[in-house]
Amino acid sequence: MGAEQQVRAGFVELYGTQPEGVWAAPGRVNLIGEHTDYNDGFVMPFALPHTATAAVSRRTDGVLRLHSADIEDGVAELRLDDLVPESDRAWTAYPAGVVWALREAGHPVTGADIHLSSTVPSGAGLSSSAALEVVVALALNDLFELGLQRWQLARLCQRAENVYVGAPTGIMDQTASACCEAGHALFLDTRDLSQKQIPFDLAAEGMRLLVVDTQVKHAHSDGEYGKRRAGCEKGAALLGVDALRDIPYADLDAALERLGDEEEVRRLVRHVVTEDQRVERVVSLLKSGETRAIGPVLVEGHASLRDDFRISCPELDLVVDTALAGGALGARMTGGGFGGSAIVLAEAADVDTITKAVEEAFAAAGFTAPRIFEAVPSAGARRLG
């Protein structure tokens, strides 16, 4: 039974009627452009084949009923008028936050029955929360005929996560889930939300991109992410710009000098400005057909996240070092940091060797066995039936 049939059957079992429709929204991997999104910078995610799937029907009585096939719990029943930011610490905050954000923006959502299931690994830095938000937003947009564009849904989902959940995330994850196309990476300018779909078909060129989930869990609501964001904002204020995006790469040394002995801020600024430049380099290389040449840029990105932004961990560093020693073209941590996943770009012929080397290195270090799978650039959110 496929995901659509399973979630449809689960809905019928829970609520006693057929759902009005079934929708899916993917998780994402960020190829390059980490912690640039809340600095008005550039990012380059692509959608995974792993999705959150939702069967949904409208209600007219101001009640929201939520259930997840992935969590051993009954149906959560919430009144729309009682939805208050940061009042919910459970998984239900993500879909409930979307309903809250839609209603806050004046959209006439009158209630819903929702049954969810997800194959996006949770806590792995692959945007399982954004997938939950986007699938609910797309379903409600369709059912209530709200007429919102994909980028508008992404914005509302970001507001749900920032204000309702209380996690200070940027716009990348929701936009990737809502807007990515199969066989492409999404070059997104997070300032004006302009998008370009960049062809990224590794299989056709004899390459693969592996995701290595270290099984080290992270949570964006924790303080370290917020501290980095506040440090970036401090850097922009000290340099007299709206956002670090406004510091040209050519002027980086002068900008760092102006920051004087603000050592922590200097490191954060250096990462963001060089990372924006790395995104532009990757876009240029992919457009000119030099896909293998992006490998060293990924490695540079990891070093910057490890040494300047200081959000790596021993498991992520071990993946990168082992993969490169095993012949990978490039590797880096991806996502918010402090755990989660790394990506490895490799020739198809080297995948088995690299996978085995990483698994053996984790075992030798006494780490939990990693979960390793191929990341295939896939379609964004869509209605299944």
Side-chain angles (χ1 to χ4, degrees):
M1 195 187 290
E4 181 192 343
Q5 288 76 25
Q6 274 185 326
V7 82
R8 191 179 281 279
F11 185 99
V12 173
E13 193 179 321
L14 282 168
Y15 301 122
T17 60
Q18 284 287 339
E20 291 185 83
V22 177
W23 289 260
R28 65 96 189 98
V29 161
N30 195 21
L31 181 63
I32 192 77
E34 220 64 79
H35 288 270
T36 48
D37 61 344
Y38 54 80
N39 289 293
D40 281 3
F42 304 125
V43 294
M44 201 169 184
F46 64 87
L48 288 167
H50 307 71
T51 60
T53 309
V56 185
S57 286
R58 288 168 290 184
R59 295 178 69 96
T60 57
D61 58 358
V63 169
L64 175 64
R65 292 199 291 182
L66 298 168
H67 185 267
S68 168
D70 311 311
I71 291 160
E72 287 186 23
D73 212 350
V75 175
E77 188 165 313
L78 308 167
R79 292 207 59 80
L80 301 190
D81 291 343
D82 296 340
L83 298 180
V84 179
E86 297 197 53
S87 61
D88 186 349
R89 287 282 166 254
W91 72 271
T92 48
Y94 296 99
V98 170
V99 176
W100 172 84
L102 284 166
R103 283 165 54 85
E104 273 280 303
H107 300 294
V109 176
T110 55
D113 285 339
I114 300 176
H115 173 57
L116 290 148
S117 178
S118 180
T119 57
V120 185
S122 174
L126 303 174
S127 296
S128 57
S129 57
L132 270 188
E133 292 158 1
V134 170
V135 75
V136 170
L138 183 62
L140 296 176
N141 186 50
D142 286 357
L143 290 175
F144 287 98
E145 298 180 347
L146 304 179
L148 295 165
Q149 300 295 310
R150 293 301 182 96
W151 67 268
Q152 293 173 303
L153 293 176
R155 265 261 155 95
L156 284 161
C157 289
Q158 183 200 13
R159 179 164 165 74
E161 188 149 349
N162 289 174
V163 180
Y164 194 88
V165 178
T169 53
I171 189 70
M172 172 179 66
D173 297 350
Q174 293 84 0
T175 306
S177 186
C179 301
C180 277
E181 292 180 7
H184 293 75
L186 179 70
F187 177 36
L188 173 67
D189 181 334
T190 66
R191 170 165 282 168
D192 63 12
L193 298 189
S194 60
Q195 304 175 17
K196 290 191 180 101
Q197 301 285 347
I198 310 294
F200 189 55
D201 185 357
L202 293 173
E205 298 188 62
M207 284 174 282
R208 299 287 185 272
L209 191 83
L210 300 177
V211 173
V212 182
D213 174 5
T214 63
Q215 307 278 1
V216 178
K217 300 299 181 197
H218 75 242
H220 277 169
S221 312
D222 292 353
E224 291 298 325
Y225 182 99
K227 272 190 216 163
R228 301 302 187 284
R229 185 165 184 163
C232 290
E233 288 165 359
K234 181 179 178 182
L238 288 171
L239 292 167
V241 292
D242 290 339
L244 294 182
R245 147 75 175 277
D246 297 312
I247 305 295
Y249 179 72
D251 298 349
L252 176 59
D253 289 345
L256 294 177
E257 211 166 285
R258 282 166 55 205
L259 290 170
D261 58 3
E262 291 275 1
E263 181 51 37
E264 187 178 354
V265 175
R266 281 163 59 97
R267 284 191 288 97
L268 298 178
V269 169
R270 183 165 54 223
H271 166 72
V272 172
V273 175
T274 57
E275 187 79 346
D276 272 335
Q277 196 245 4
R278 281 187 283 274
V279 178
E280 292 186 292
R281 282 161 62 198
V282 167
V283 170
S284 176
L285 288 166
L286 291 178
K287 280 183 168 177
S288 58
E290 299 174 76
T291 307
R292 284 172 176 78
I294 73 172
V297 188
L298 302 184
V299 178
E300 281 177 39
H302 183 76
S304 182
L305 289 162
R306 181 191 64 212
D307 302 336
D308 278 343
F309 231 65
R310 299 191 180 176
I311 57 170
S312 190
C313 66
E315 291 86 350
L316 288 167
D317 293 340
L318 184 61
V319 174
V320 171
D321 295 344
T322 306
L324 293 174
L329 297 164
R332 73 172 191 91
M333 60 155 286
T334 186
F338 310 106
S341 299
I343 55 173
V344 177
L345 180 69
E347 302 288 355
D350 295 334
V351 164
D352 290 346
T353 306
I354 291 167
T355 299
K356 187 164 181 275
V358 170
E359 288 170 344
E360 288 175 351
F362 267 57
F367 295 152
T368 302
R371 177 174 180 229
I372 304 175
F373 58 90
E374 185 183 347
V376 180
S378 300
R382 59 213 179 266
R383 185 168 187 159
L384 298 179

